[in-house]
Amino acid sequence: MDDSTEPRGDEARIERVLFRPAAPVPTQGAVSWPALVRGLLRSDFSHFPAAAYTTRVYRIPVRGRTLLMPSGPAQVREVLVSEHDNYPKSRVMQRILGPLIGNSMFVTNGDVWRRQRRMIDPTLELSRLKAFLPLMQGAVDDMVARMGQGGEMDLDQETMRVAADILCRCVFSEQVQPGMVDELAETFRRYQALVPAFLALEGLGQPRWVLPLRQLRARRAGNRIRGRMAALIRQRLDSGARPEDLLTGLIEARDPQTGHRFTETELVDEVVFFFLAGHETSASALSWSLYLLANDPQAQERARAEVLRELGPAQADFSGLRRLRFTRDVFREALRLYPPVTAYIRDALGTARLAKRDVRAGDLVSVTPWFVHRSPRNWSHPDLFDPDRFQTEAGRASMREAYVPFNTGPRVCSGAAFATQESLLVLAAVLGRYRLHPVPGRAPQPAAWLTQRSRNGTWLRLEPLSRRTGRDQSRNTS
Ligand code: HEM
């Protein structure tokens, strides 16, 4: 970690060797709140100046209060870890996501959140992940079958589909039909598309009813998803069946302190939230990982060689996945460059100080991992794709201090291990079967929606390999 923003001596050499992935260019000068709102509606980071990357706490006055965006490691830790009681989840999130996820743990605070966390964490603990492996593998096999002979395709469609399918299988085991998985994913996508406008309005301090049509669409999408999930949950409760999956974990969860069990409405809240938390995020991480690999043929060959060596032609096993060190570093680097959750938004409860500046009660604090991960104060050559950085001393130090794709502290993502396992399975399946190439003229344009996605899809060309040897089929048959 470096306190200066001066380029290092080897920067020019590194620039020539490493891939510089798509990213918006920061603006010059300060940003006013109308510009911020316009930017929020456009949904990318191009409306932020370079100072947002280099200042420890970047501040924007917004109609009587301040939006603070910490990217300095000490300030990020204060907000997320040491002083987290002063920075609860913002009511903004409850207002925006409430019609979809009700009072799930993602938007609650205090004792209610602590109880939810005590009950939910065991359902996602490491020992259960082994049991999920065959369920995940089934969804991955179907993805590979759909990809068939490859060719040019928008990988976003496939990553969304496989992540949604994995989530459905791990929550409901066999119950969910493919048609319904697609319908759920599409309805979630429609809800997501409405979020930037709601966020912009929150920034302006305007009530959401000024957008009645979007409000209505959000409520409809929320009700549709909740209705589908509620029916599946009722079916399970009525059947009395208890397969080894996430829904059984939630139904049987009991708070060790109070003995509380989830009511049926609470089950719907948490299941819908699992779906929201677990499919868009993983799909985003996977699309960006594949895009980065397609544009760095050397890294791609190394990852493929590792997959073929450690997993072989057979189906992936738990210990084999853990040996995918380089592939895991590629995934880590994708999460650094394109952190799937765009912002961790908090309300300041009381007065405080951050980087020697006042925070007042009612101020909005947004830890935005894009800035934390791309600050030249926190990472060397932060805009370049360098999966090997995690094996260097400097990279490890940066990772300890300034790497928060899953958040950190008490509200760290409960599904990080789940997400890593499914992502390695998907990456291994694709790398073991296809060589990835970029499609000229179709570089992705990053968009900061609720998750970090590409505005124009992730278009790649998949060239089939021989499964047994990992060599091109075309070469083998000629
Ligand atoms: C690459 C994929 C994923 C990423 C990057 C990710 C990231 C995050 C982040 C940043 C948060 C905290 C947000 C905040 O505090 O404002 C979070 C919370 C959470 N995530 Fe994930 N997530 C991923 C996948 C998953 C999956 C697959 C699941 C479950 C199956 C999951 C379950 C949760 C839960 C339950 C929380 C709430 C924690 C709390 O508020 O105490 N996540 N996730």
Side-chain angles (χ1 to χ4, degrees), residues 231-346:
L232 290 169
I233 291 169
R234 177 99 302 269
Q235 204 175 312
R236 172 70 66 83
L237 290 170
D238 287 346
S239 77
R242 295 293 180 263
E244 202 169 347
D245 60 20
L246 281 169
L247 181 54
T248 295
L250 291 174
I251 291 171
E252 291 182 345
R254 183 188 279 263
D255 178 13
Q257 290 187 11
T258 62
H260 178 82
R261 283 181 184 279
F262 285 126
T263 64
E264 209 164 323
T265 307
E266 287 170 339
L267 283 174
V268 176
D269 288 352
E270 302 302 350
V271 165
V272 175
F273 165 58
F274 266 20
F275 206 86
L276 176 76
H279 91 283
E280 278 272 339
T281 47
S282 299
S284 158
L286 282 167
S287 286
W288 291 114
S289 300
L290 294 168
Y291 155 71
L292 292 166
L293 284 167
N295 283 279
D296 185 334
Q298 256 192 339
Q300 189 185 148
E301 282 314 318
R302 279 172 69 192
R304 176 172 302 110
E306 180 179 73
V307 164
L308 294 173
R309 186 178 66 243
E310 300 299 345
L311 302 182
Q315 294 212 323
D317 63 306
F318 198 65
S319 54
L321 283 179
R322 297 178 81 85
R323 289 194 301 272
L324 299 181
R325 203 182 73 170
F326 180 69
T327 313
R328 183 182 299 251
D329 283 344
V330 168
F331 179 64
R332 278 191 180 129
E333 182 68 337
L335 292 177
R336 185 189 68 79
L337 285 162
Y338 299 101
V341 180
T342 310
Y344 317 154
I345 303 177
R346 307 292 192 254

Side-chain angles (χ1 to χ4, degrees), residues 10-285:
D10 59 352
E11 206 71 354
R13 183 189 58 78
I14 288 168
E15 283 273 351
R16 278 198 305 277
V17 176
L18 297 177
F19 171 56
R20 176 180 285 275
V25 179
T27 58
Q28 298 302 318
V31 59
S32 62
W33 66 258
L36 174 77
V37 171
R38 277 198 304 278
L40 272 174
L41 285 170
R42 211 175 48 237
S43 308
D44 64 29
F45 290 110
S46 60
H47 53 291
F48 282 99
Y53 296 76
T54 52
T55 315
R56 286 194 176 82
V57 181
Y58 185 68
R59 298 157 60 96
I60 306 169
V62 184
R63 304 191 80 194
R65 61 179 176 172
T66 306
L67 168 64
L68 300 105
M69 304 178 75
S71 64
Q75 292 73 34
V76 168
R77 289 194 78 74
E78 261 178 76
V79 172
L80 297 178
V81 188
S82 56
E83 305 297 324
H84 76 96
D85 280 342
N86 191 45
Y87 300 105
K89 271 279 168 86
S90 173
R91 276 166 301 176
V92 166
M93 298 312 288
Q94 166 68 53
R95 283 201 290 270
I96 290 176
L97 295 176
L100 189 61
I101 60 176
N103 284 319
S104 88
M105 76 188 286
F106 195 66
V107 289
T108 53
N109 286 304
D111 287 343
V112 174
W113 165 74
R114 269 186 281 276
R115 189 191 69 209
Q116 289 165 318
R117 184 98 204 189
R118 283 195 298 271
M119 294 171 71
I120 285 173
D121 273 0
T123 67
L124 287 162
E125 67 193 11
L126 214 59
S127 60
R128 289 192 168 240
L129 290 184
K130 264 190 191 171
F132 295 149
L133 198 61
L135 293 170
M136 290 179 175
Q137 186 68 58
V140 173
D141 292 345
D142 285 356
M143 174 198 75
V144 168
R146 282 193 303 271
M147 285 175 164
Q149 284 306 299
E152 275 187 22
M153 60 178 81
D154 177 5
L155 265 292
D156 283 0
Q157 305 295 327
E158 273 312 328
T159 58
M160 282 285 279
R161 211 161 163 189
V162 72
D165 195 7
I166 287 176
L167 234 290
C168 282
R169 290 184 200 221
C170 291
V171 173
F172 296 114
S173 295
E174 305 302 328
Q175 282 172 318
V176 182
Q177 300 304 312
M180 196 196 288
V181 175
D182 291 344
E183 187 208 314
L184 284 170
E186 172 55 24
T187 316
F188 268 100
R189 197 199 56 73
R190 284 210 301 274
Y191 196 98
Q192 266 244 46
L194 300 165
V195 168
F198 294 154
L199 266 175
L201 276 188
E202 294 284 350
L204 279 167
Q206 299 288 333
R208 268 176 44 193
W209 50 259
V210 300
L211 289 178
L213 201 59
R214 290 186 199 212
Q215 178 87 354
L216 187 69
R217 276 199 220 125
R219 199 154 286 285
R220 272 208 198 122
N223 286 344
R224 177 178 286 254
I225 293 168
R226 290 183 67 84
R228 291 274 190 267
M229 297 295 188
L232 290 169
I233 291 169
R234 177 99 302 269
Q235 204 175 312
R236 172 70 66 83
L237 290 170
D238 287 346
S239 77
R242 295 293 180 263
E244 202 169 347
D245 60 20
L246 281 169
L247 181 54
T248 295
L250 291 174
I251 291 171
E252 291 182 345
R254 183 188 279 263
D255 178 13
Q257 290 187 11
T258 62
H260 178 82
R261 283 181 184 279
F262 285 126
T263 64
E264 209 164 323
T265 307
E266 287 170 339
L267 283 174
V268 176
D269 288 352
E270 302 302 350
V271 165
V272 175
F273 165 58
F274 266 20
F275 206 86
L276 176 76
H279 91 283
E280 278 272 339
T281 47
S282 299
S284 158

Side-chain angles (χ1 to χ4, degrees), residues 1-2 4 6-12 376-377 379-381 394:
M1 299 252 297
D2 193 344
S4 83
E6 287 298 305
R8 285 134 211 274
D10 59 352
E11 206 71 354
R377 282 177 181 276
W379 293 86
S380 66
H381 50 88

